[in-house]
Amino acid sequence: MIVQGTYTLPLPPARVFAALTDPAVLQQAIPGCEKLEKTADDEYKAHLKIGIAAVKGSYAGRVRLSDKHPPDRFTMHLEGKGAAGFVNGTARIELEEEGRNTQLHYNADVQVGGLIAAVGSRMIEAAAKKLAGDFFQAFSEALPQAE
Amino acid sequence: MSAAKGYFGKPMKRVEDPRLIKGIATYVDDITLPGMLHAAVLRSPYAHARINNIKADAAKASPGVVGVFTGADVNDKCGLVPCASPMPDSKIPKHTVLASDRVYFVGHPVAVVVAVDRYAARDALDFVEVDYDPLPVVSDPEKALEKDSPLTHPEFRTNVAFTWSVANGGLDAAFKRAHRVIKQRMIHQRLTPMAIEPRGCVASWHAGEGTLTLYTSTQIPHLVRTLLPGMISVPENRIRIVAPEVGGAFGSKLNLYAEEALCSHLAQRLGAPVKWIESRRENAAATIHGRDQIGEYEVAVKKDGTLLAIKSKTLADIGAYCQLNTPAIPTLTGLMLTGCYKCKAMRMDVVGVYTHKMATDAYRGAGRPEATYVIERLMDIIADELKLDPVKVRLKNFPKPTEFPFDTLTGLTYDSGNYQGALKKAQQISNWNKLTKQRDAARKSGKLFGIGLSTYVEICALGPSKMMSAGGWEWGCVRIEMSGKVTVITGATPHGQGQETSFAQIAADKLGVPIEDIVVMRGDTAVAHYGRDTYGSRATVIGGAAILMCIDKIIAKARKLAAHLLDTKEKSVEFRDGKFSAKGKPKKALTWKQLAPEAYVAKNIPQNWEPGLEASSFFEPPNCTYPFGTHIVAVEVDRDTGEVKIVKYVTVDDCGHQVNPLLVEGQLQGGIAHSIGQALFERTVYDENGQLLTGEFMDYAMPRAKDIPEYLMDSTVTPSPSNPMGIKGVGEAGTIGATPAIANAVMDALSPLGIRHLDLPLTPEKIWRAIAPVKVK
Amino acid sequence: MIPAAFDYLRPATLDEAIALLELHGADAKVLAGGHSLVPVMKLRLAQPKTVIDISSVADLSYVREQGDKIAIGAMTTHYDIEASPLLRDTCPLLTELAPQIGDAQVRNRGTIGGSLVHADPAADWPAAILALDADLEIAGSNGRRAVKATEFFVGMMETVVQSSEILCEIRVPTTARSVAYVKFAQRASGFAIAGVAVVVDGANKTVSVGVTGVAARPYRALAVESVLRGKVLNRDAIDQAAGIAAEGVEPLDDIHASAAFRAHLVQVNTRRALEVAVSRG
Amino acid sequence: MKTVVNIRVNGVEQKHEVEPRTLLVHFLRDCCRLTGTHVGCETSICGACTVLFEGKAVKSCTLLAVQADGSEVTTIEGLAGDGRLHPVQEGFWERHGLQCGYCTPGMIMMAVQLLERNPKPTREEISHAIEGNLCRCTGYSHIIDAIEYAARKIAEVKK
């Protein structure tokens, strides 16, 4: 499943890039992120509680960044496992300067498995888009603090 | 009381019904044994992954948990899940009961929790931590054949599980002679049987005796008893299998599953009975699926519609491993590919392919629905391309009734048939001319209206032992009890088909006793000592014949006793209407009720006459049976939404003589319902990562009452010479005959738009995409 | 399947229920009829620590006239709405829609309030609630507030009802007979793939159109409404308007219907619903 | 934490201590040992678990036993009175409305409620009423016949 979108952020790409690779900002922005721990360079362990409304589950996750080309692009690999199944995703994130803002394009290949795939398939894409939306919303709110 | 007769052929209501309609029947989940523990199975959420590590400590500490077991704990004690029908070149992977180092489909059992109740067992599943490394997945059988495809079983270095071919006649010559060669690719979508009762079992180990009783929701208790000793270390004669009431199966319980061996082992290991009941989600993921073939079909025809030859290359997506009969299913497709038509040459090449999905196996019809669908679609396509009437094309290619027994190119001998007769009758009762006029009028007013036809023949009552992997006979036993009551025991294991009634009808007639005096027992290997169980529409035909054999033996034996008691010669004893009398002295007749006590008390019996009135028999069928018929369907397609509405459904089926027409009708209607599902909406969906997306009733669409049309049903009677009653199996005929009729009707409705073929299921969206092409994002 | 363990509370009054919700916070869930919540709990997709059953709370199940509106208690079952003579006469859209929800057993237990708060994107009620421009009254510790249907649904399975609030009443206007609900159902579950509710106000020459099942959130087809405002609802006008029923909407896409098919179906059903409603006027 | 639940099942008081999460169907099957009510799915689709709850057909797999505390429940076992079959049961028997019998108790309970609300249903109304009950064996046609039979039978008895 491909989930993609574009967001406009009120900072130049270099600042956005720095924030996106800053664990403190990530922790604030990732929906339901209860813990984010650095395990290696560009690698983090996370504890997430994600879902929608009553349908929420706990996931142990890993986040890894690769293919870093500041300030233009990088790739984020996500893995989450919980009792309700697993979510794996690879998101390519590209930053484009537009005046004083940054156009952020993301293109994520998301793979969902287990219970959530078996019984929630009709909602997964919309849920993924919503979570992505929540992330960038929270991220842009977290930005000023990242300065 | 006058002796009853004439039960055979009567539409009698069923003797098994009272317990079922009162809710006092016993299904496997209704069984509770003292000290019984409950098992829950942890299954893989991945289609393909390496298991690095399983941590069970937290689960073991969970309240009520008695034990948590992984592959490392049990696999060496549970043997391998068997495949009974490998092809000569089959590559059969080691199918352990729990995954060892790898999982290779979603739902693959990884660990089992045993606890004091089902709630505690379910809770503990959440605490078993499995560290998986996901591996590349292949869920598309065509991709699985590509060079760089991920491998389901890397040890084989290929995803090809087996190959199989059937061929006869001069194929090249036939194709050279043809006026026209028509090609069509067809996909037979994967289906999920979805019996409303999921699987389940209760295993009970009797340590003192060293015996095991396994209650299991199965079609095949006897085959399970034959096969289970190969898995667990308990010999056959110390195993008792009980199939209690079984809540539907449709082929999905024609298997020996991992969980049955696992619970048997755990009961021994833990010294307590162990129950496991499958959830619906597990049922969708880890009980066999059906169909799933992709075929390229080619026919050679003359311009008058004469069929010369047919060939196919078929890919059978068998999933991740071979269950009991997995490789055999597509061979049935091959054997029946020519349908009810004469043909000069045929060839079918099957490649069975492993993918990261649940195994396919026998689902209602098992291979034959694919064959009938192919040939019946091709008949319509031939008619369409040659601008011929589809009825005439069929009539042109039928063998004449006088040509039976009819030898087919695939080596079968169709026992009896009159395909023209069924077709003609179906046309009559469907009011064919009026129906075609209705279609013309509907088309003129802009409606999409279509008429479809299927003239089918199928192979059932499987079958002579030479074509089966473990005997094709059936066993029966009849006992006139000391009281004169009759106990009939069958090795066939009916589970809803109604043989408690139809076998009682058969026995009552033959014995000349009221049907109320008869009890039919089945489904328990301690009672029905032998049997080959119920599948392939075989129980009434083969099991019924075995009972008749028993009764013949008993009558012969009783004749001797009667002669002795009537003080006459055996030769002059007549048996009529349940009474034995000396010729010319009907008034001094002996009934079974009078004979039976003499037979058992045995104080006044002939010399060298063995006491008792009991006989058992194995009936070995000389041939399969080949029921046939014609289904005619009219549909209307909603131009806007693509929805299909069946507006007329006519069937004329011929299953020879009918023991109980009410049960025949029930089997046909039930079978047709499966077809309506297959034709219009059922499909098992895996995504490209091997995730099962139709894992619940919420996503797997099955027919409901409102999807069922009003039927016009009739029959013709062409007795089978393969058994003493002249009957043929009918459990799958509906499913085999109906699907192509519905598909042909829909394609006929769409034909004015120039659409030649759409694959099943004919969902609204698929039809809409075909009739109103739009740009899709 | 078996839900995870939870604590069960059954308050007798609405105030008590709200107090309990405040106490237990986001880990508590309100149980109405249970036909949205219990299934997800059985699958363990939802594992609330506390379940607050409001079935003993008095006076949450009713259909009654209230000024020029009809008030429906949140705990009123789908069946009670289906069978309500008052609604059949005064707000027939609801009695037409109700029997299309789930199945008879579900309608006997499931409640309108429970369904609305669960906000499944494919539930049926939202289409009618939107088309009727209903008012939804929500009770919280600071008293009650009413919101418009158009403000009620926030997103997929999310509404403006906060975790310590309870939806207690739905108020709908009375309408003429010129209403319709046309649904294309998902075959397995019966949920809407495209459900369109239409209210035609002949006097004011306006229509309102509520759509469910198509997007992550039910919506009012405002473009359709505005094109038809003041117009005679003849075939051409309806055809033209129905063609924009999915405008500005990002349709859901799943194995049961692609986004394109959903977008198509909402157009078909908008046309059909308008035709039926007009024919009833 | 366990709680005591008291439900009148088929006219008999059934008082058992259960966890709040205990489903009504498990209360009936495991605590009351009334196993005629079956479980076919976990998503309220199949209807095999249908019972009458305060006279209304409900899916007992989607109700908690605690929700039924203090209520009346009728299961398939409580339908036949004085050893006589209920007309709906009789209809299923007469018209071959069942094969494996697994969906049958739920189907019968649903039909009982239908005929109470609508004593003379059309075939279409019957189909609509049993939309929440899946049967994989019969193909429904005989089930509809059975319910029509029961409707006639009830009307005759009332005359």
Side-chain angles (χ1 to χ4, degrees):
Chain A
M1 178 179 62
I2 302 291
V3 184
Q4 52 189 0
T6 297
Y7 283 85
T8 304
L9 300 163
L11 284 178
R15 300 274 293 281
V16 173
F17 194 99
L20 274 171
T21 49
D22 172 354
V25 178
L26 283 178
Q27 177 160 0
Q28 264 180 293
I30 294 172
C33 184
E34 292 178 338
K35 218 163 75 183
L36 190 82
E37 240 176 83
K38 189 166 177 171
T39 49
D41 270 355
D42 293 331
E43 258 190 65
Y44 309 94
K45 222 164 77 180
H47 197 266
L48 310 168
K49 197 165 183 190
I50 43 172
I52 287 163
V55 179
K56 258 197 181 87
S58 292
Y59 297 83
R62 273 196 299 198
V63 182
R64 188 166 58 84
L65 306 181
S66 70
D67 190 27
K68 280 167 77 177
H69 294 270
D72 301 330
R73 64 174 198 271
F74 68 99
T75 302
M76 188 189 273
H77 308 267
L78 289 158
E79 261 180 62
K81 286 186 215 179
F86 66 86
V87 182
N88 292 336
T90 302
R92 263 193 24 238
I93 294 167
E94 286 174 17
L95 306 176
E96 197 183 323
E97 191 158 5
E98 196 191 69
R100 304 171 68 184
N101 295 335
T102 300
Q103 289 270 334
L104 179 150
H105 309 280
Y106 73 93
N107 185 314
D109 189 351
V110 182
Q111 193 187 331
V112 176
L115 180 62
I116 38 180
V119 300
S121 58
R122 71 193 172 97
M123 303 213 189
I124 284 170
E125 190 172 339
K129 281 184 179 153
K130 182 188 149 23
L131 291 172
D134 288 353
F135 172 81
F136 288 108
Q137 181 66 36
F139 177 72
S140 41
E141 279 163 19
L143 271 181
Q145 288 134 33
E147 285 185 52
Chain B
M1 190 186 68
S2 69
K5 62 175 175 182
Y7 294 111
F8 189 102
K10 268 194 193 155
M12 298 186 66
K13 63 182 183 184
R14 302 197 313 173
V15 297
E16 45 271 78
D17 284 359
R19 64 176 187 266
L20 298 166
I21 56 179
K22 289 181 193 163
I24 52 173
T26 305
Y27 297 85
V28 70
D29 196 17
D30 304 340
I31 294 167
T32 299
L33 300 176
M36 188 172 77
L37 301 171
H38 295 256
V41 176
L42 183 75
R43 295 176 187 277
S44 170
Y46 292 93
H48 192 197
R50 185 175 299 108
I51 298 175
N52 294 325
N53 182 27
I54 303 177
K55 273 195 218 153
D57 295 351
K60 282 178 183 161
S62 183
V65 170
V66 173
V68 180
F69 305 92
T70 65
D73 303 317
V74 300
N75 283 347
D76 60 338
K77 310 204 174 54
C78 285
L80 300 176
V81 178
C83 171
S85 53
M87 297 296 127
D89 66 349
S90 281
K91 296 178 180 66
I92 307 287
K94 279 191 177 163
H95 183 183
T96 51
V97 294
L98 293 177
S100 39
D101 57 338
R102 249 171 4 109
V103 288
Y104 39 80
F105 69 102
V106 167
H108 197 148
V110 171
V112 58
V113 171
V114 185
V116 293
D117 65 49
R118 64 178 102 209
Y119 281 49
R122 170 62 189 87
D123 285 349
L125 286 186
D126 288 347
F127 300 124
V128 182
E129 281 177 62
V130 186
D131 179 11
Y132 295 104
D133 262 346
L135 296 168
V137 173
V138 62
S139 62
D140 175 331
E142 289 176 309
K143 286 190 181 147
L145 291 182
E146 287 170 9
K147 232 168 86 193
D148 52 354
S149 165
L151 294 173
T152 310
H153 303 286
E155 63 270 32
F156 299 143
R157 296 166 190 276
T158 170
N159 283 318
V160 174
F162 62 86
T163 59
W164 180 81
S165 294
V166 56
N168 199 357
L171 203 69
D172 293 342
F175 271 87
K176 248 179 224 154
R177 261 175 61 205
H179 295 129
R180 187 76 76 91
V181 170
I182 295 167
K183 294 182 189 180
Q184 183 64 52
R185 174 186 159 96
M186 296 186 213
I187 297 174
H188 311 269
Q189 83 270 30
R190 182 175 277 243
L191 298 174
T192 310
M194 295 289 198
I196 307 294
E197 181 205 33
R199 289 188 294 124
C201 62
V202 180
S204 178
W205 172 247
H206 318 287
E209 297 87 346
T211 57
L212 175 85
T213 304
L214 179 69
Y215 304 87
T216 177
S217 183
T218 185
Q219 294 170 240
I220 51 161
H222 296 92
L223 293 172
V224 168
R225 184 168 177 261
T226 301
L227 293 162
L228 194 58
M231 296 184 70
I232 59 168
S233 51
V234 181
E236 185 182 11
N237 55 1
R238 290 178 179 276
I239 294 179
R240 173 186 170 203
I241 309 290
V242 182
E245 220 72 67
V246 173
F250 319 109
S252 71
K253 297 171 184 174
L254 162 51
N255 244 297
L256 174 51
Y257 283 99
E259 295 87 352
E260 289 167 313
L262 187 58
C263 288
S264 298
H265 166 68
L266 291 172
Q268 275 185 76
R269 185 166 182 154
L270 298 169
V274 175
K275 177 190 269 191
W276 168 75
I277 300 295
E278 190 179 53
S279 72
R280 176 54 52 191
R281 232 164 67 69
E282 290 178 283
N283 178 266
T287 289
I288 62 100
H289 295 159
R291 318 280 191 260
D292 214 347
Q293 295 182 13
I294 300 172
E296 309 278 351
Y297 306 97
E298 245 178 280
V299 281
V301 286
K302 294 209 291 201
K303 62 184 167 208
D304 66 355
T306 303
L307 181 67
L308 296 174
I310 175 167
K311 66 178 172 188
S312 106
K313 282 196 185 308
T314 293
L315 217 56
D317 180 349
I318 63 169
Y321 54 78
C322 288
Q323 278 280 8
L324 195 60
N325 295 298
T326 301
I329 305 306
T331 68
L332 286 166
T333 309
L335 293 178
M336 294 307 293
L337 193 65
T338 54
C340 45
Y341 307 106
K342 291 163 117 176
C343 188
K344 303 276 186 240
M346 74 83 63
R347 180 176 183 91
M348 176 168 177
D349 294 292
V350 177
V351 178
V353 186
Y354 284 122
T355 55
H356 291 109
K357 299 194 279 199
M358 180 59 200
T360 54
D361 202 316
Y363 165 56
R364 201 169 194 172
R368 292 99 87 202
E370 293 90 322
T372 306
Y373 175 73
V374 167
I375 191 70
E376 289 303 303
R377 280 293 301 128
L378 287 172
M379 281 291 143
D380 268 29
I381 293 171
I382 291 166
D384 187 49
E385 295 240 327
L386 299 175
K387 307 268 180 289
L388 297 170
D389 176 355
V391 174
K392 286 188 182 141
V393 173
R394 286 173 169 85
L395 284 169
K396 178 157 243 36
N397 292 293
F398 283 158
K400 292 191 198 77
T402 49
E403 289 178 69
F404 289 87
F406 178 78
D407 292 332
T408 74
L409 284 177
T410 59
L412 302 172
T413 301
Y414 292 171
D415 55 348
S416 65
N418 179 354
Y419 304 151
Q420 295 85 345
L423 173 54
K424 202 165 282 172
K425 193 164 186 182
Q427 280 191 296
Q428 266 163 20
I429 62 174
S430 70
N431 219 331
W432 182 261
N433 288 335
K434 204 174 142 198
L435 194 59
T436 52
K437 278 185 193 131
Q438 190 184 345
R439 171 177 60 192
D440 297 342
R443 281 186 181 164
K444 261 188 201 138
S445 69
K447 284 188 176 148
L448 298 173
F449 190 101
I451 304 170
L453 179 76
S454 143
T455 53
Y456 74 92
V457 60
E458 71 116 340
I459 176 173
C460 72
L462 304 169
S465 294
K466 63 179 188 311
M467 66 183 285
M468 310 297 289
S469 49
W473 41 263
E474 190 47 86
W475 179 89
C477 172
V478 175
R479 187 161 63 238
I480 315 291
E481 306 282 0
M482 199 162 162
S483 59
K485 298 277 183 192
V486 180
T487 303
V488 172
I489 305 167
T490 176
T493 306
H495 44 276
Q497 297 88 344
Q499 276 88 357
E500 284 179 48
T501 305
S502 54
F503 284 1
Q505 287 177 267
I506 291 168
D509 271 0
K510 182 91 178 171
L511 288 167
V513 301
I515 199 164
E516 297 76 24
D517 282 358
I518 298 177
V519 162
V520 177
M521 303 183 83
R522 42 88 235 175
D524 180 346
T525 63
V527 176
H529 303 136
Y530 258 89
R532 290 294 89 161
D533 308 314
T534 287
Y535 56 89
S537 308
R538 69 192 302 276
T540 309
V541 177
I542 309 177
I547 287 159
L548 283 181
M549 283 175 73
C550 297
I551 296 175
D552 279 332
K553 286 184 191 168
I554 291 175
I555 291 172
K557 186 177 178 192
R559 197 184 289 277
K560 287 195 171 77
L561 177 63
H564 174 76
L565 294 171
L566 292 167
D567 202 14
T568 183
K569 284 194 182 111
E570 192 189 332
K571 268 195 297 195
S572 61
V573 172
E574 288 181 332
F575 175 66
R576 191 174 300 139
D577 295 342
K579 288 180 206 154
F580 293 85
S581 60
K583 219 173 248 170
K585 294 180 185 168
K587 282 198 179 146
K588 272 180 76 184
L590 293 171
T591 63
W592 291 108
K593 282 199 166 67
Q594 290 165 308
L595 277 177
E598 298 290 349
Y600 288 93
V601 173
K603 296 198 190 306
N604 183 15
I605 54 175
Q607 224 177 3
N608 297 327
W609 192 85
E610 186 184 340
L613 282 175
E614 180 186 286
S616 62
S617 293
F618 290 76
F619 176 72
E620 170 66 29
N623 190 2
C624 300
T625 68
Y626 296 86
F628 60 90
T630 296
H631 289 220
I632 293 174
V633 179
V635 300
E636 213 178 299
V637 178
D638 187 316
R639 216 179 251 277
D640 289 331
T641 62
E643 286 169 294
V644 174
K645 187 175 165 53
I646 299 175
V647 295
K648 186 157 200 160
Y649 204 113
V650 175
T651 80
V652 172
D653 297 278
D654 191 323
C655 59
H657 291 303
Q658 300 182 7
V659 182
N660 184 333
L662 191 61
L663 302 188
V664 169
E665 191 174 272
Q667 286 301 310
L668 286 167
Q669 290 181 354
I672 294 168
H674 282 238
S675 274
I676 292 172
Q678 176 176 356
L680 300 181
F681 36 83
E682 286 188 36
R683 57 180 186 141
T684 306
V685 182
Y686 281 92
D687 71 9
E688 69 279 11
N689 302 308
Q691 289 296 324
L692 176 64
L693 302 184
T694 47
E696 272 289 352
F697 284 170
M698 280 172 71
D699 291 300
Y700 188 82
M702 285 170 290
R704 290 167 193 269
K706 67 175 168 27
D707 300 313
I708 303 299
E710 293 291 328
Y711 296 111
L712 266 174
M713 301 182 84
D714 210 330
S715 55
T716 55
V717 177
T718 310
S720 169
S722 318
N723 62 80
M725 290 174 286
I727 62 176
K728 299 182 177 186
V730 75
E732 295 155 293
T735 303
I736 292 164
T739 308
I742 301 166
N744 281 341
V746 176
M747 298 325 299
D748 183 47
L750 301 180
S751 64
L753 306 173
I755 298 164
R756 174 166 113 158
H757 178 79
L758 297 175
D759 283 315
L760 306 182
L762 297 164
T763 59
E765 175 155 5
K766 195 179 281 172
I767 291 173
W768 168 70
R769 281 179 185 274
I771 65 182
V774 288
K775 280 188 184 158
V776 182
K777 265 203 293 190
Chain C
M1 289 299 270
I2 294 149
F6 53 81
D7 290 328
Y8 174 80
L9 302 167
R10 197 163 164 179
T13 67
L14 199 56
D15 287 345
E16 204 187 315
I18 289 163
L20 288 171
L21 279 173
E22 293 222 301
L23 182 69
H24 293 282
D27 288 334
K29 278 299 289 178
V30 174
L31 180 70
H35 277 51
S36 300
L37 183 61
V38 175
V40 283
M41 284 173 60
K42 281 166 65 184
L43 292 165
R44 300 201 178 197
L45 285 170
Q47 302 195 14
K49 290 204 174 85
T50 307
V51 168
I52 299 169
D53 180 356
I54 56 169
S55 62
S56 291
V57 172
D59 203 30
L60 280 178
S61 170
Y62 53 81
V63 178
R64 62 194 175 214
E65 283 177 287
Q66 195 169 304
D68 58 348
K69 302 245 167 147
I70 308 295
I72 303 167
M75 286 288 282
T76 309
T77 64
H78 310 316
Y79 174 72
D80 285 340
I81 292 172
E82 175 181 345
S84 161
L86 176 63
L87 284 173
R88 197 178 314 132
D89 291 341
T90 58
C91 192
L93 180 59
L94 298 183
T95 51
E96 181 185 355
L97 180 145
Q100 300 186 49
I101 298 173
D103 52 54
Q105 294 95 316
V106 167
R107 294 192 291 275
N108 276 338
R109 276 299 296 180
T111 65
I112 184 168
S115 169
L116 288 172
V117 176
H118 188 66
D120 188 300
D124 293 288
W125 283 129
I129 294 308
L130 284 165
L132 290 164
D133 201 20
D135 296 304
L136 298 110
E137 191 160 291
I138 300 161
S141 53
N142 300 323
R144 296 184 169 214
R145 63 187 177 115
V147 299
K148 283 285 181 194
T150 44
E151 296 154 21
F152 185 77
F153 302 102
V154 174
M156 188 165 65
M157 301 180 87
E158 282 189 313
T159 69
V160 296
V161 179
Q162 299 301 301
S163 65
S164 60
E165 290 182 316
I166 292 174
L167 173 66
C168 52
E169 186 177 275
I170 297 98
R171 283 190 297 274
V172 294
T174 60
T175 70
R177 309 216 65 76
S178 49
V179 296
Y181 180 63
V182 178
K183 167 184 180 179
F184 186 97
Q186 199 260 69
R187 258 204 180 272
S189 68
F191 272 109
I193 282 178
V196 180
V198 157
V199 177
V200 174
D201 181 344
N204 295 308
K205 293 206 163 184
T206 61
V207 304
S208 59
V209 181
V211 179
T212 190
V214 175
R217 179 164 75 108
Y219 66 95
R220 279 271 293 266
L222 296 171
V224 176
E225 295 177 8
S226 99
V227 162
L228 291 176
R229 193 163 298 131
K231 285 230 178 92
V232 178
L233 298 182
N234 57 26
R235 209 178 155 162
D236 283 352
I238 288 175
D239 277 357
Q240 199 196 347
I244 53 173
E247 205 175 84
V249 173
E250 200 174 329
L252 298 172
D253 190 307
D254 61 27
I255 59 167
H256 302 293
S258 68
F261 192 45
R262 275 192 167 82
H264 167 73
L265 288 172
V266 67
Q267 295 170 37
V268 171
N269 285 354
T270 300
R271 192 188 77 221
R272 288 180 174 181
L274 284 166
E275 282 168 359
V276 172
V278 167
S279 75
R280 287 169 175 168
Chain D
M1 204 174 49
K2 288 197 172 184
T3 174
V4 173
V5 169
N6 191 344
I7 305 172
R8 248 185 117 69
V9 181
N10 302 330
V12 177
E13 191 172 284
Q14 293 276 2
K15 210 167 161 182
H16 299 279
E17 198 180 47
V18 298
E19 283 186 89
R21 61 173 166 157
T22 304
L23 300 171
L24 178 60
V25 68
H26 290 146
F27 181 89
L28 296 170
R29 292 178 52 84
D30 298 340
C31 301
C32 310
R33 295 301 303 150
L34 293 166
T35 56
T37 305
H38 299 145
V39 179
C41 71
E42 46 258 6
T43 48
S44 293
I45 299 283
C46 83
C49 63
T50 302
V51 298
L52 298 183
F53 172 71
E54 298 287 314
K56 289 178 178 173
V58 300
K59 292 180 174 174
S60 62
C61 81
T62 308
L63 249 94
L64 305 170
V66 285
Q67 286 179 285
D69 190 19
S71 312
E72 292 260 356
V73 168
T74 308
T75 70
I76 187 72
E77 292 93 338
L79 208 54
D82 309 326
R84 287 232 309 272
L85 292 178
H86 185 282
V88 175
Q89 289 172 312
E90 199 184 306
F92 271 73
W93 195 8
E94 290 291 333
R95 291 295 135 99
H96 189 25
L98 61 148
Q99 288 178 24
C100 81
Y102 196 76
C103 75
T104 309
M107 199 68 88
I108 288 175
M109 298 314 280
M110 188 57 232
V112 168
Q113 185 212 269
L114 163 70
L115 296 179
E116 274 165 18
R117 286 183 186 170
N118 180 0
K120 271 180 76 177
T122 62
R123 289 180 78 82
E124 210 177 334
E125 285 167 341
I126 294 172
S127 292
H128 179 64
I130 58 171
E131 221 174 323
N133 294 76
L134 288 174
C135 170
R136 197 66 162 154
C137 290
T138 64
Y140 302 102
S141 209
H142 282 171
I143 292 178
I144 299 170
D145 295 346
I147 298 172
E148 279 188 320
Y149 174 99
R152 280 196 302 274
K153 182 83 187 197
I154 293 169
E156 273 168 31
V157 171
K158 277 192 181 148
K159 257 182 209 166

